[in-house]
Amino acid sequence: NGYDATREVHVTRPDIPVIAQTAYAFIAEKEQALAAGCVDHITKPIDKQQLFATIHRVLISTKKRN
């Protein structure tokens, strides 16, 4: 699943930010994604502006850390 995949990615590339995407808007889904190492969470149906805003926020955050 995506959570396990995120953990695997972070074993070899902990610097890669992962944004989770699920069909559910439940708080538990977001918490599970963050616990797996995702930096944020968006839900279906994908809102294009929300997606771009999330990507922008993650890239800015990542740039500030480096």
Side-chain angles (χ1 to χ4, degrees):
N1 67 34
Y3 304 126
D4 292 338
T6 299
R7 289 183 192 98
E8 288 294 319
V9 166
H10 284 179
V11 167
T12 57
R13 294 293 308 269
D15 58 315
I16 294 179
V18 177
I19 300 169
Q21 181 272 307
T22 68
Y24 307 106
F26 302 120
I27 296 289
E29 288 289 324
K30 183 173 183 175
E31 290 172 352
Q32 189 174 6
L34 296 176
C38 296
V39 296
D40 210 330
H41 172 266
I42 59 174
T43 60
K44 289 180 183 177
I46 299 294
D47 176 283
K48 196 181 336 182
Q49 288 187 342
Q50 179 189 14
L51 174 62
F52 291 147
T54 302
I55 292 170
H56 179 75
R57 186 173 53 252
V58 168
L59 289 175
I60 294 300
S61 173
T62 301
K63 186 176 179 179
K64 286 180 181 178
R65 283 185 267 153
N66 294 330

